[in-house]
Amino acid sequence: MPTLPWITPNRPPHSTEVHVFASRFETRTLWGALKFLVRTPAVWRQVRGAPGVYGASLKAEPLKRTFWTLSAWESPEALKTFARSGTHAPTSRGLAPQMRDAKFAAWSASSDDLPVSWTDVRRRLR
């Protein structure tokens, strides 16, 4: 599963400001990377049905023990609701001991600029 391509569960209104969120996780071990991969499908199903999500993608580099997420939301509150509910909340708590490093970035963008490029995401997460 190198990359889960950009999905658009809810189409954003044209020329609307959206909340973009990106993350980079590095696990301590390959075992931790495997645990991340095994738990990804359930969280991905939650993303597909989350209220307020406009799009999402995930890039996995399991042999490097690194995972990148990218999502766009109608508001920071919609993202917080998602992160604190469903499968995501217990999954993130359960994987926390496996993490060596994590970085996060959030910014506003126009819905017309979605999806954001992975090049831009990597630059923001340096």
Side-chain angles (χ1 to χ4, degrees), residues 25-28 32 35-36 39 88-102:
F25 299 100
E26 184 180 335
T27 63
R28 295 180 188 281
K35 286 182 176 184
F36 192 104
R39 295 178 182 180
H88 185 275
T91 297
S92 61
R93 283 191 305 273
L95 287 173
Q98 301 296 325
M99 295 302 148
R100 177 177 161 202
D101 187 35

Side-chain angles (χ1 to χ4, degrees), residues 73-85:
W73 301 84
E74 69 181 10
S75 66
E77 293 74 26
L79 170 59
K80 287 177 190 171
T81 299
F82 164 79
R84 294 177 180 158
S85 65

